[in-house]
Amino acid sequence: MTRINIKKTLWFALLLVSTATVYGQKTTLQSFPLSSVRLLNSPFKEAQQTDMKYILSLDPDRLLFPYLREAGIESNAKSYGNWENTGLDGHIGGHYLSALSEMYAATGNQLIKERLDYMLDWLEKCQQKNGNGYIGGVPGSKALWEEIEQGKIDAGSFSLNNKWVPWYNIHKVYAGLVDAYKLTGNEKAKKMLIQLSDWCLNLTANLSDDQIQQLLRSEHGGMNEVFADVATITGYKKYLTLAEKFSHKTILDPLLKNTDALNGLHANTQIPKVIGFMRVAEVSGDKDWANAADFFWNTVVNNRTISIGGNSVREHFNPANDFSSMIESREGPETCNSYNMLKLSKHLFLDNPSSKYMDYYERTTYNHILSSQHPDGGFVYFTPIRPRHYRVYSEPQESFWCCVGSGLENHGKYGELIYAHDDKNLYVNLFIPSTLNWKEKGITLTQNTKFPFEEKTSIELKLNKPQKFAIKFRYPSWVADGKMKISVNNKEMNIEKDSNSYVSIERKWKTGDVISIILPMQNKTEQLPDKSNWVSFVHGPIVLAAVTDTTDLVGLRADGSRMGHIASGPVYPIEEAPLLVSNNADLANSLITEKGKPFAFTASDIIYQEKYKNLELVPFFQIHDARYMLYWPFTTKEKLPEIQKAMKERETAQMKLEAATVDMVTSGEQQPESDHNFKGEQTDTGIFKERHYRNGKGFFSYDLKNPLLEARKLRFTYFGTDKNKNFDIYVNDILVSSINMDGSEGDQFIDKMIELPAAIINNENKILRVTFKAKPNSMITGIYEVRLMK
């Protein structure tokens, strides 16, 4: 590096510090390095160890295969399957770098470090062979990036030049290198990261801002976040400029105006972008961008999040005033969403240490993240809240979904925000058994607790020398005012929470000081955000649920199929689910503690059906391999007949359609289309009346499954008022219908049914490719749903 570059680096580093200081006037709060915290025995420690076994069970050579293939390096390994050889090749490898870095920092396990070093060594060889700084497993990488560099851009919501979200894919590599450097100090990772960032700078150097915004139509993870990270690592402003360019204005602009325009959007596409907005704000000092990120957090948490902390249905934000689709769907909140909402919460908390961020962080960590890993290993993609449905778990050598990648990370970083600090004072945010080593201050802290199975925690200090500072304890929102008690060396303190809901105890601390905290919990119910007649029971921060049965758990352990992550077993009628009937406004008062069980309750007085009266409500994170009740329908005695009739009518129609369906795809939604091998040209997606659609001037197709050869009809949904939309429909290249729309079918959704010809039925096709093709000088109307019917 030349002297001029050194001066530039020092100047920009000073700029970063100064702007961060101006922007963050309230605090200079920091999280502790993950390596400073060690978990003690608890469900979190168990989950960490389970995750570590899963991580080590994966074959690094198979994860590396896509990178070697794209670099032209021969390998004797065989690529993993599932998403790893169907277009998203290599995305797990990036997550793997992050997971290894986090797990090594959290445990110091040398096997993990050796695995990380091995991955980095081979990725470095790939980077060197590529010769331009690039590292990636995207199939056909060289041709793809040459097209992009030349300005040839064809971007859809989940495709770019007919590749499956390549920016999203390589973002995992960027993030993995960032984590390898920041968490473990690996200088090789830093060098590779900078070279990869320079590759992107060169790739996009001649693209206009409009062209880059066109690129960003395709899901791209947190590319803006990683470039902001690189700016802080190197001190060079060019990377911050790149981070700003890679910030999607279609999402940012409404947030800058405090406008919620999220309905129908693919949820996890947006959350990483917003993390990036916040990261850019931290580096640049742009308060407006920080406020935009905070507005997003508030609207998602307050209006779109259920009791476990998750959000979305079939991966998309449902209308904030209508959660019926979430109640009915097999595909409830996605684990990746919560993974990213926790990242955003961490950034917002460190900027403004309000307890509300940690209340959400705690709720989501205990109830969604902890519950998303099986005790024997395996990660959950969707957590249905449909009554009496279940979850599916990944298998190490078979399943490579996005939620496997984030799942590998989730359980290795539980220690990242239990504690925090400013220049002088210590924050205790979570009540998780752990030790903290604050090396710079010569302070060691040990937190012992069985929380939430006991309503207290104890903290013991060890100091190199007595020191005066404040310890700030979070006063959780679930503890009633005046009920939290804190004692130091058995002497109760007078405490008062501040505007951020933290309690501060300042004194001269010494070795042997013991702080005892009493944390009384109580039962309450929480309605869905749309205030419909569905409630979840919560005890303190812990969401309660009940096992109903263990029948028909089809695909409980996922195979390698494209839709193996979905709990595809039969859905049970909602009108037959346990129903709560009570004229008491506070249903939680009816919960009765089970004798001899520290964390189990019954609600026999308010459960209407006799066969369900003995159901036990226990922490949701303890429930696995079962169908369950997480949200419960409720009514009063007077309204019971009315609600039973309405539920039965709605459910009868739904169940009839479900029973007659062989396979279906929701057009315009990312994962359902990917799972059905979407292909298309000159086609686009949109949202109308809160429903997704796909239209186009070219064609698009899906591969629908017909495993038992039951398909006899094709049904598709469109809106009746479109005019001059003329298109043909083919099944396995056989024309089955021509549609000429004149707008005469009315202002309504139309479900069009077409009989399949004998030539298709008699050929025993287990896969039926359904193609919509525009006629010359016309286009395909918006198609909302496609079903094969018995």
Side-chain angles (χ1 to χ4, degrees):
M1 182 182 291
T2 67
R3 182 171 301 194
I4 292 175
N5 284 342
I6 292 172
K7 292 172 81 171
K8 280 185 179 179
T9 301
L10 292 174
W11 173 84
F12 189 58
L14 289 171
L15 174 66
L16 297 181
V17 171
S18 62
T19 53
T21 302
V22 171
Y23 172 61
Q25 288 178 9
K26 298 175 186 176
T27 181
T28 53
L29 201 62
Q30 300 176 51
S31 58
F32 283 97
L34 196 53
S35 56
S36 296
V37 180
R38 291 288 184 264
L39 300 182
L40 301 177
N41 289 336
S42 70
F44 295 102
K45 178 69 175 288
E46 292 170 8
Q48 179 196 75
Q49 296 300 304
T50 299
D51 183 26
M52 185 153 54
K53 291 178 183 177
Y54 198 108
I55 288 172
L56 290 172
S57 74
L58 295 176
D59 185 341
D61 290 319
R62 297 187 69 181
L63 292 175
L64 286 163
F65 177 85
Y67 301 94
L68 273 65
R69 179 196 65 213
E70 293 304 305
I73 300 174
E74 290 190 12
S75 171
N76 293 324
K78 178 183 177 183
S79 176
Y80 275 120
N82 196 238
W83 291 17
E84 275 292 300
N85 71 352
T86 55
L88 210 58
D89 313 30
H91 78 117
I92 293 292
H95 276 296
Y96 199 58
L97 290 178
S98 292
L100 290 166
S101 302
E102 289 155 349
M103 190 62 76
Y104 176 63
T107 66
N109 186 296
Q110 287 300 307
L111 288 176
I112 295 291
K113 184 181 185 300
E114 290 170 11
R115 185 70 59 90
L116 175 62
D117 290 343
Y118 184 84
M119 291 288 294
L120 290 171
D121 286 346
W122 274 105
L123 290 175
E124 182 185 42
K125 289 182 175 70
C126 293
Q127 189 175 51
Q128 291 171 346
K129 184 70 186 298
N130 285 328
N132 59 359
Y134 175 69
I135 312 170
V138 179
S141 295
K142 291 181 180 178
L144 166 69
W145 300 122
E146 285 174 4
E147 291 175 354
I148 299 302
E149 188 173 17
Q150 295 164 11
K152 298 177 182 177
I153 300 168
D154 179 16
S157 59
F158 61 94
S159 64
L160 179 61
N161 293 23
N162 294 315
K163 301 296 183 184
W164 188 6
V165 291
W167 286 116
Y168 168 94
N169 188 337
I170 65 170
H171 164 255
K172 311 311 165 203
V173 183
Y174 277 102
L177 293 172
V178 169
D179 289 334
Y181 173 62
K182 291 174 69 174
L183 295 173
T184 75
N186 190 295
E187 289 292 332
K188 179 182 292 186
K190 176 184 176 181
K191 180 182 176 183
M192 293 163 64
L193 173 65
I194 294 170
Q195 290 180 4
L196 184 57
S197 299
D198 287 341
W199 164 82
C200 186
L201 273 171
N202 295 329
L203 180 81
T204 59
N206 295 320
L207 299 182
S208 67
D209 288 346
D210 286 344
Q211 286 176 310
I212 291 180
Q213 288 299 308
Q214 180 70 6
L215 285 177
L216 300 182
R217 291 186 61 210
S218 178
E219 185 178 9
H220 51 274
M223 291 298 296
N224 51 354
E225 178 198 7
V226 294
F227 290 136
D229 284 336
V230 177
T232 61
I233 289 169
T234 63
Y236 281 112
K237 189 174 181 178
K238 62 183 179 179
Y239 300 114
L240 178 60
T241 301
L242 190 60
E244 292 168 341
K245 285 186 175 182
F246 265 81
S247 292
H248 195 196
K249 301 301 191 292
T250 300
I251 301 303
L252 175 61
D253 289 347
L255 296 176
L256 288 170
K257 299 173 184 175
N258 283 2
T259 299
D260 179 352
L262 300 177
N263 279 1
L265 296 184
H266 185 258
N268 198 48
T269 295
Q270 318 316 325
I271 306 170
K273 298 175 188 177
V274 179
I275 297 169
F277 301 158
M278 186 63 196
R279 191 73 185 97
V280 169
E282 290 171 347
V283 179
S284 69
D286 191 319
K287 190 171 183 179
D288 289 339
W289 282 40
N291 288 340
D294 194 50
F295 174 78
F296 175 90
W297 186 92
N298 278 289
T299 191
V300 170
V301 170
N302 296 328
N303 304 330
R304 300 177 177 277
T305 295
I306 64 169
S307 62
I308 62 171
N311 62 71
S312 78
V313 56
R314 296 196 308 274
E315 301 194 1
H316 292 74
F317 285 126
N318 55 283
N321 61 356
D322 184 4
F323 274 67
S324 59
S325 59
M326 191 182 293
I327 287 291
E328 294 168 1
S329 180
R330 309 165 188 266
E331 300 168 50
E334 179 187 355
T335 308
C336 277
N337 295 21
S338 292
Y339 159 90
N340 277 312
M341 283 300 293
L342 291 182
K343 287 184 70 174
L344 179 59
S345 300
K346 178 181 177 181
H347 283 283
L348 292 169
F349 171 74
L350 293 177
D351 173 64
N352 174 27
S354 170
S355 181
K356 70 177 184 179
Y357 301 117
M358 290 310 308
D359 285 339
Y360 170 79
Y361 193 100
E362 176 183 61
R363 177 72 74 89
T364 307
T365 298
Y366 272 99
N367 300 293
H368 198 188
I369 300 302
L370 187 58
S371 73
S372 68
Q373 181 178 238
H374 193 281
D376 296 329
F379 307 113
V380 171
Y381 196 121
F382 293 121
T383 296
I385 67 169
R386 182 185 173 94
R388 298 190 302 160
H389 211 59
Y390 65 101
R391 292 162 295 170
V392 167
Y393 304 91
S394 65
E395 285 283 78
Q397 309 306 318
E398 295 285 340
S399 310
F400 294 94
W401 331 308
C402 54
C403 293
V404 170
S406 58
L408 291 168
E409 295 185 45
N410 278 330
H411 311 281
K413 57 178 182 175
Y414 285 125
E416 69 174 357
L417 209 53
I418 301 174
Y419 311 101
H421 68 94
D422 57 26
D423 290 343
K424 183 179 180 182
N425 305 309
L426 175 66
Y427 283 70
V428 177
N429 301 316
L430 298 170
F431 312 112
I432 294 176
S434 53
T435 61
L436 166 68
N437 183 9
W438 192 355
K439 295 179 183 178
E440 295 78 5
K441 296 289 186 180
I443 299 170
T444 302
L445 175 155
T446 301
Q447 182 173 186
N448 286 301
T449 181
K450 295 179 182 177
F451 183 85
F453 299 102
E454 63 179 10
E455 297 179 342
K456 62 182 180 179
T457 188
S458 175
I459 293 172
E460 184 171 353
L461 297 175
K462 181 180 178 181
L463 294 85
N464 289 349
K465 61 181 180 180
Q467 299 178 48
K468 185 176 182 180
F469 60 94
I471 303 181
K472 296 176 179 287
F473 302 92
R474 173 172 143 260
Y475 197 118
S477 61
W478 42 266
V479 176
D481 286 345
K483 297 296 184 182
M484 181 175 175
K485 307 292 183 186
I486 300 179
S487 299
V488 177
N489 301 331
N490 295 318
K491 181 181 179 181
E492 186 171 334
M493 300 285 104
N494 292 321
I495 62 173
E496 183 176 345
K497 60 182 178 181
D498 62 20
S499 60
N500 285 328
S501 199
Y502 271 76
V503 171
S504 182
I505 298 180
E506 184 172 11
R507 57 180 282 154
K508 193 169 188 178
W509 301 95
K510 63 183 187 303
T511 293
D513 283 342
V514 176
I515 306 147
S516 301
I517 308 172
I518 303 300
L519 300 160
M521 293 189 282
Q522 55 189 345
N523 296 324
K524 66 175 182 176
T525 54
E526 290 183 356
Q527 279 182 273
L528 285 171
D530 63 359
K531 302 305 178 186
S532 56
N533 290 340
W534 292 85
V535 295
S536 179
F537 290 100
V538 184
H539 183 72
I542 307 302
V543 177
L544 305 174
V547 171
T548 57
D549 53 80
T550 56
T551 57
D552 298 323
L553 301 179
V554 177
L556 181 67
R557 287 289 181 171
D559 58 20
S561 65
R562 280 298 296 266
M563 290 187 288
H565 56 288
I566 299 171
S568 59
V571 292
Y572 291 172
I574 291 178
E575 86 265 10
E576 296 177 9
L579 173 65
L580 307 180
V581 179
S582 176
N583 285 43
N584 187 338
D586 189 354
L587 296 170
N589 285 337
S590 299
L591 291 185
I592 300 170
T593 305
E594 285 277 80
K595 290 182 179 179
K597 296 183 178 179
F599 217 130
F601 305 87
T602 58
S604 57
D605 289 348
I606 58 173
I607 294 179
Y608 177 68
Q609 301 94 327
E610 191 65 35
K611 65 179 180 178
Y612 293 128
K613 285 188 176 292
N614 292 325
L615 290 180
E616 278 190 354
L617 288 97
V618 299
F620 180 59
F621 68 75
Q622 292 182 323
I623 292 177
H624 293 281
D625 304 336
R627 292 176 178 262
Y628 53 81
M629 291 293 296
L630 184 55
Y631 271 87
W632 307 68
F634 72 93
T635 188
T636 62
K637 295 176 182 177
E638 292 77 13
K639 293 183 178 180
L640 177 60
E642 177 186 339
I643 194 172
Q644 284 181 312
K645 180 182 178 183
M647 287 175 65
K648 186 171 181 63
E649 288 176 353
R650 181 179 177 92
E651 187 67 9
T652 297
Q654 290 286 341
M655 294 295 287
K656 185 177 179 181
L657 180 60
E658 181 81 21
T661 298
V662 176
D663 194 12
M664 64 88 65
V665 58
T666 308
S667 297
E669 291 191 2
Q670 174 165 332
Q671 205 51 53
E673 289 197 325
S674 294
D675 288 337
H676 289 87
N677 196 29
F678 162 81
K679 305 289 183 186
E681 293 179 1
Q682 292 184 281
T683 175
D684 208 348
T685 60
I687 301 169
F688 178 67
K689 291 185 178 291
E690 310 294 357
R691 295 184 68 175
H692 291 81
Y693 66 81
R694 178 172 289 283
N695 61 13
K697 295 181 179 179
F699 82 93
F700 58 88
S701 66
Y702 307 114
D703 290 350
L704 276 76
K705 295 180 180 179
N706 183 28
L708 302 179
L709 306 178
E710 296 175 295
R712 295 296 180 269
K713 303 174 184 178
L714 176 72
R715 189 182 107 155
F716 61 96
T717 304
Y718 59 92
F719 202 72
T721 56
D722 262 0
K723 295 180 181 179
N724 303 317
K725 302 290 175 66
N726 307 312
F727 55 97
D728 294 326
I729 303 170
Y730 297 83
V731 177
N732 285 9
D733 298 324
I734 297 173
L735 179 67
V736 297
S737 184
S738 292
I739 306 295
N740 300 300
M741 299 186 65
D742 59 9
S744 63
E745 293 179 282
D747 187 16
Q748 61 182 330
F749 288 103
I750 305 297
D751 295 318
K752 183 80 170 180
M753 193 80 77
I754 299 170
E755 298 281 345
L756 296 177
I760 294 170
I761 295 172
N762 295 336
N763 277 345
E764 297 189 353
N765 296 296
K766 292 189 176 182
I767 297 292
L768 297 180
R769 174 162 293 179
V770 179
T771 303
F772 295 84
K773 185 176 182 180
K775 291 186 176 180
N777 301 315
S778 190
M779 68 180 297
I780 310 160
T781 190
I783 303 297
Y784 294 81
E785 185 180 272
V786 182
R787 289 179 183 262
L788 284 181
M789 308 294 290
K790 297 177 184 177

